[in-house]
Amino acid sequence: MTQLNQPLSGNTVPRFGGIATMMRLPIQETAAKLDAAFVGIPMDIGTSNRPGTRMGPRQIRDESRMLRPYNMATRAAPFDSLQVADIGDVPINTFNLPKNLDIITSFYDDVLAHGCTPLTMGGDHTLTWPLLRAIAKKHGPVGLIHIDAHADVNEDMFGEKVAHGCPFRRAQEEGLLDSERVVQIGLRGTGYAADDFDWCREQGFRVVPAEECWYKSLEPLMAEVREQMGDGPVYISYDIDSLDPSVAPGTGTVEAGGLAMSQGLEIIRGAWGLNIVGGDLVEVAPPYDPSGNTALMGATLLYEMLCILPGVKRRD
């Protein structure tokens, strides 16, 4: 049996030393022979307010040094179960956002061709649209668990169809989503029009505003989401601005009244048992994250996504 990759232990090399990979995992140039891979997309030219998410993948990797291999809460042992590595960053075009659509899709076509499940560090939320193009080629239209302060279904932004406020409208228009298996959790804030969230509901999406999440456990909600998703393929897209800015200030479009980190964990852990075919964590902007806590929350959520992938064993 092939020896499974393990994160570099903090008892072998100090956590502040070594190369900054996700969880200090080995680096590979491709997804060959991997069951799951962490990928960075250092892009922020799709942002509409504060830039900085191009630095997100690097900071997430750095802060992930605090994460250890075993999940003590769920007893998941991902590195005893799957071959995992960090395969670096998508070579995006810094100056041409539309061109990045094909660059990203092509990169993930190759990852998926190896039978590898991608977990992506963003980068702005524009990236999820071309990523879903690759996912849908392999799996067909997917169910979506989308955690975000914003619906990201704008018709356009400043007349442009490609922007971080538009990815899920584009994905729905292209038939990449199984619309009866889409749930959006944490939406909140002010709107440009009174019916801003109605387009989502008209498509068949389930919309769970942040106010419906306040002061409660989300375990009951996730039991309903698991039933809604069934056995079909499911993609998770997690915008860090879904969390309250008191928890995660380092992002470009903060909104008051967000989710608690414990609720974020409940959402991801509550997707265990689903046919997860990929996930992303987007919109970490290090310039507004002086403590590094936003990036650490992002790294933690990505680790939790790894822990719920099919094939991950849980210790007795």
Side-chain angles (χ1 to χ4, degrees), residues 169-185:
R169 183 176 286 246
R170 301 288 92 83
Q172 174 68 356
E173 290 169 346
E174 293 187 2
L176 309 180
L177 303 177
D178 180 353
S179 58
E180 296 300 318
R181 295 193 305 120
V182 174
V183 59
Q184 297 181 295
I185 303 171

Side-chain angles (χ1 to χ4, degrees), residues 222-234:
M222 291 312 297
E224 295 174 2
V225 170
R226 286 196 301 275
E227 183 174 353
Q228 178 183 357
M229 296 296 157
D231 298 329
V234 178

Side-chain angles (χ1 to χ4, degrees), residues 130-185:
L131 207 164
L132 284 171
R133 282 177 169 174
I135 293 283
K137 287 183 196 176
K138 183 174 179 67
H139 298 285
V142 295
L144 175 71
I145 302 174
H146 172 209
I147 310 98
D148 203 327
H150 312 96
D152 290 353
V153 294
N154 292 349
E155 173 59 31
D156 56 60
M157 300 189 81
F158 292 93
E160 301 295 334
K161 300 288 189 179
V162 187
H164 76 159
C166 308
F168 299 108
R169 183 176 286 246
R170 301 288 92 83
Q172 174 68 356
E173 290 169 346
E174 293 187 2
L176 309 180
L177 303 177
D178 180 353
S179 58
E180 296 300 318
R181 295 193 305 120
V182 174
V183 59
Q184 297 181 295
I185 303 171

Side-chain angles (χ1 to χ4, degrees), residues 6 68-73 75-80 303 307 315:
Q6 293 286 333
R68 302 167 185 87
Y70 294 97
N71 192 318
M72 305 308 288
R75 303 188 68 79
F79 303 107
D80 292 354
Y303 168 70
C307 288
R315 295 170 292 121

